[in-house]
Amino acid sequence: MLVVATAGHVDHGKSTLVRALTGMEPDRWAEERRRGMTIDLGFAWTTLPSGAVVAFVDVPGHERFVPNMLAGVGPVPAAVMVVAADEGWMPQSAEHLAALDALGVAYGLLVVTRADLADPGPALARARAELASTTLGAVESVVVSGVTGVGLPELRAALDRLAARVPSADHAAPVRLWVDRHFTVRGSGTVVTGTLGVGRLRVGDELELAGTGDLVRVRGLHRLGEARDAVDPVARVAVNLRGVSRDRVARGDALLTPGRFRSTDLVDVRLAGDPVAELPATLTLHVGAAAVPVRVRPLGGDTVRLRLGRPVPLLVGDRALLRDPGRHHVVGGVTVLDVLPPPLRRRGAAAARAAVLATLDGRPDLAGELRRRGLVRAGDLARAGVPVHVAPVAGDWLADPEHWARLTARLTEAVTRYSREHPLEAGAPVEVLRRQLDLPDRVLVEALVRAPLRLAAGRVGAAGADPLPEPVARAVALVRDDFAAYPFRAPDADRLAAVGLGVREIGAAVRAGALLRLTGNVLLLPGAPQQAARVLAALPQPFTLSAARQALDTTRRVAVPLLELLDRQGRTRRLPDDARTVVDADSTDRPAAGRPGRLP
Ligand SMILES: Nc1nc2c(ncn2[C@@H]2O[C@H](COP(=O)(O)OP(=O)(O)OP(=O)(O)O)[C@@H](O)[C@H]2O)c(=O)[nH]1
Ligand SMILES: [Mg+2]
């Protein structure tokens, strides 16, 4: 289907032309017919001699309704520029042409109407000259009269040639249907219409409503007034939505393939048109059928940063236009360069940003995005319109290869430094490394770990290294000798101090499993509980605390917490009279030694 918008000054005969070609009434409102003037968009269609179908989006020419005109033209790939022979080139001829040029519309026709009223020659010559320097360029032109019908066969033939020239659209692309009309149909609910530029719509599809993020279901589809199960682009389409009330949608909203777009309120763009330095601080951005107020921040050269009044689902490479509504002036077309721009905090950041943007052209460039960002989520790039065809380094994260290599080196340095500064710890905590390397996600730290580094228990250290730092290992060896003679006599404070086991050293030894902490500074070897249970099993059962203390040749300071640990481990059981029996000296069903808690 060829979808084509009309364009041109008020009263130049656009609607008359559409009516003559299609036999349909583009002016839908009674007020429009009463005033003889188009106010809002009109829709009409017909079959061309070749069998191709052309659908018109008929726009108003009056200067007050330019925003409506832009909503119609935004998503449409082709235009018919209409100029009246008797009036010639007029202000909205110029403004509409500027809009088509800003949006990059490259396919179209020039039609000089009302040729029965005046010599079409001068209007034709002027209009051709005006179009020549725009994206439309040297289009075919036809002279007609909507009243006498002169030129209409030639216009139909020209439309057929245009239909053959417009490139076909991508059926597989994600859908972004800009809503240009919405209404309710009794019994069916909410219906929205739009020009489907790319992507396929099917009954039953789930779509995302850009404005609210709501998921909605396609209940029915119409293409040019006929019910369809599916509609391929380019097409005029009406979508009956399930699960949304009419007041949740408005013109300028968009129906999206879920998960494929990200609405943004901050974009960096290249501007074609007026010098950037003279821009007003606020303008209106027109994209698709949307019109959004924006704050304009010139960055330098021809690039500006736009802060949008509300988020809009934009992609890198989108064409849009900036208009000054006060002055009825199309400021220029914009090409979206970045929908995820970095914040500008430091002095000189804007100029630096402009220098980066100067190298971009709005064509998606994965390698360039990775180079500039270093790290970025694959989903964020895909939703910005940049196809992703490289594997993530971790989770959903993509990395620039050089940046990743630098991070690997920095991780090794950070671990080495940490180990030097914290000799008693078994490596650097992942979270500490994440902050030092300024990484957005812990999975990135983990993915950076390469031999000889090793990740264990949330820390990154050198693989194969003794888990116990040298001074601690020496001290533990000394107390181990003490235990050889008296395995259940915990070293007292003096002994601990003498061998050099302070609070931090003890912590390191316990974490490494070299010592068992009964409580506080009461330490035994890790095998002590099992050994004790075997000794106690040889006593007459049940046995008292005092009998246990003597059999183990130790003090109450050790015996009390040791027996409690044995109880928790299920090796002994405490009886109501505080005596105990050994249940299973070699019980393996035990919680981690020293951790408070009961067996189930
Ligand atoms: N004689 C003559 N009158 C025409 C021709 N085309 C349009 N008109 C008349 O011009 C007036 C405006 O025509 P429209 O088709 O409403 O113009 P328009 O461009 O749609 O106007 P807007 O939608 O308001 O911008 C009407 O009175 C038409 O009858 C033509 O070819 N010859
Ligand atoms: Mg009209």
Side-chain angles (χ1 to χ4, degrees), residues 469-483:
E470 171 55 24
V472 184
R474 250 199 324 271
V476 168
L478 289 175
V479 292
R480 203 178 272 141
D481 289 345
D482 300 348
F483 285 126

Side-chain angles (χ1 to χ4, degrees), residues 6-19 26-27 32 35-40 58-62 65 82 84 86 96 112-117 144-149:
T6 57
H9 197 71
V10 64
D11 266 355
H12 276 204
K14 298 180 291 298
S15 301
T16 302
L17 193 66
V18 168
R19 209 176 286 123
D27 286 334
E32 291 178 313
R35 291 169 66 180
M37 169 194 274
T38 305
I39 296 171
D40 201 3
D58 185 37
V59 308
H62 194 282
F65 307 129
V82 173
D86 55 327
H96 285 197
V112 174
T113 53
R114 301 174 41 130
D116 54 302
L117 296 180
V144 305
S145 164
V147 169
T148 68

